[in-house]
Amino acid sequence: MVILGIVGSVFASFMYTLIHSKDSKILTRRSECNHCERKLKWFELIPIVSYLCQRGKCNSCKERIPLIYLVCEILLGLLFLVPVLFQLQFNDFLMYYLLIIFLVPIALYDYETYTIPNHMSLILLVSGLMLSGFAHVEILVDLIIITIFHIIYFLFNNSIGYGDIKLFSVITLLTPVNFILYTFLFTFIIGGLFILTLSLYKKMVQEKVPLAPFIATSVI
């Protein structure tokens, strides 16, 4: 279990860096500080531990490392333990791990920036189709569902971003039909409850709410 948690944290560290990347150089170059661009040493790259030991700051320039990196590493580390502790309803462990490896960083990035990078959705789609061997692709049904998602976007584009629609479409092609339908349903139930709670607490509703965190929560 400990090893699984460590593996999850390592994936989180890489994926959250990948989601910020603007090119493919991240796959070949060494990790570096986002501020001073100093190459990081191995002991500065240990998930969770390095952040805590460095007190959330770069050892060189002393700029603060965003807390969201630590949150991502902890969340993904814990979620890697779920198949050991609970029986999955969607009995595909590899697909579960693939989905959370992508969805957790996407959710946190969407929370931070209100955007979902296209390259993350594309890599998830290609990786998922290769992993599943197109097992859950039902061309006609999936096309209908994806079309409905796009109709919803054109009707409510002030409330939902197109990145969310693309993410829903990707999940549609990677999971069984009933899975995406429940995911879509729970996304808006959880999102609606969140907005209701927020409005009661703050006496106001945010004009814009990131949807990817609710999508990720619903999938999990």
Side-chain angles (χ1 to χ4, degrees):
M1 286 181 64
V2 174
I3 294 175
L4 268 179
I6 293 172
V7 171
S9 299
V10 170
F11 268 111
S13 180
F14 174 75
M15 295 301 290
Y16 205 71
T17 303
L18 176 64
I19 204 171
H20 282 87
S21 177
K22 303 300 181 183
D23 53 49
S24 60
K25 290 182 180 179
I26 186 178
L27 301 176
T28 56
R29 66 171 172 80
R30 287 176 54 192
S31 298
E32 59 185 31
C33 173
N34 293 333
H35 299 282
C36 64
E37 299 184 348
R38 179 181 64 86
K39 304 299 181 185
L40 301 179
K41 301 183 184 302
W42 67 268
F43 55 80
E44 297 175 297
L45 298 171
I46 303 173
I48 303 175
V49 175
S50 293
Y51 188 97
L52 296 175
C53 289
Q54 295 170 206
R55 298 183 180 180
K57 296 180 180 179
C58 172
N59 282 332
S60 179
C61 64
K62 303 304 179 184
E63 282 287 339
R64 182 160 294 280
I65 302 170
L67 180 62
I68 206 160
Y69 279 88
L70 177 65
V71 173
C72 187
E73 291 170 359
I74 293 174
L75 277 178
L76 209 48
L78 292 174
L79 288 172
F80 257 60
L81 303 179
V82 168
V84 178
L85 302 174
F86 304 98
Q87 181 178 356
L88 298 181
Q89 293 299 313
F90 177 25
N91 193 26
D92 189 335
F93 295 102
L94 292 178
M95 184 59 70
Y96 166 79
Y97 283 121
L98 181 71
L99 286 172
I100 63 169
I101 284 170
F102 278 87
L103 290 180
V104 171
I106 286 175
L108 293 173
Y109 187 82
D110 188 33
Y111 170 80
E112 186 181 25
T113 67
Y114 294 96
T115 57
I116 299 176
N118 288 326
H119 70 278
M120 293 298 286
S121 296
L122 180 60
I123 296 172
L124 173 58
L125 175 62
V126 174
S127 302
L129 290 176
M130 291 177 63
L131 182 64
S132 66
F134 294 79
H136 301 300
V137 176
E138 299 180 39
I139 297 177
L140 181 58
V141 177
D142 289 346
L143 182 60
I144 291 172
I145 293 173
I146 292 172
T147 300
I148 292 173
F149 288 156
H150 281 75
I151 291 172
I152 291 172
Y153 170 72
F154 286 115
L155 291 176
F156 305 102
N157 55 26
N158 291 328
S159 303
I160 186 171
Y162 193 54
D164 302 313
I165 297 300
K166 286 185 282 189
L167 187 58
F168 271 129
S169 300
V170 169
I171 298 172
T172 299
L173 296 170
L174 302 183
T175 59
V177 172
N178 62 336
F179 188 92
I180 184 58
L181 294 179
Y182 279 121
T183 297
F184 185 78
L185 175 65
F186 280 119
T187 295
F188 288 95
I189 290 176
I190 297 170
L193 290 173
F194 173 80
I195 293 172
L196 178 61
T197 303
L198 195 66
S199 64
L200 291 174
Y201 177 71
K202 289 190 173 183
K203 305 299 181 182
M204 59 179 292
V205 179
Q206 288 181 246
E207 292 183 2
K208 198 173 183 181
V209 176
L211 196 61
F214 304 117
I215 297 175
T217 303
S218 300
V219 167
I220 293 164

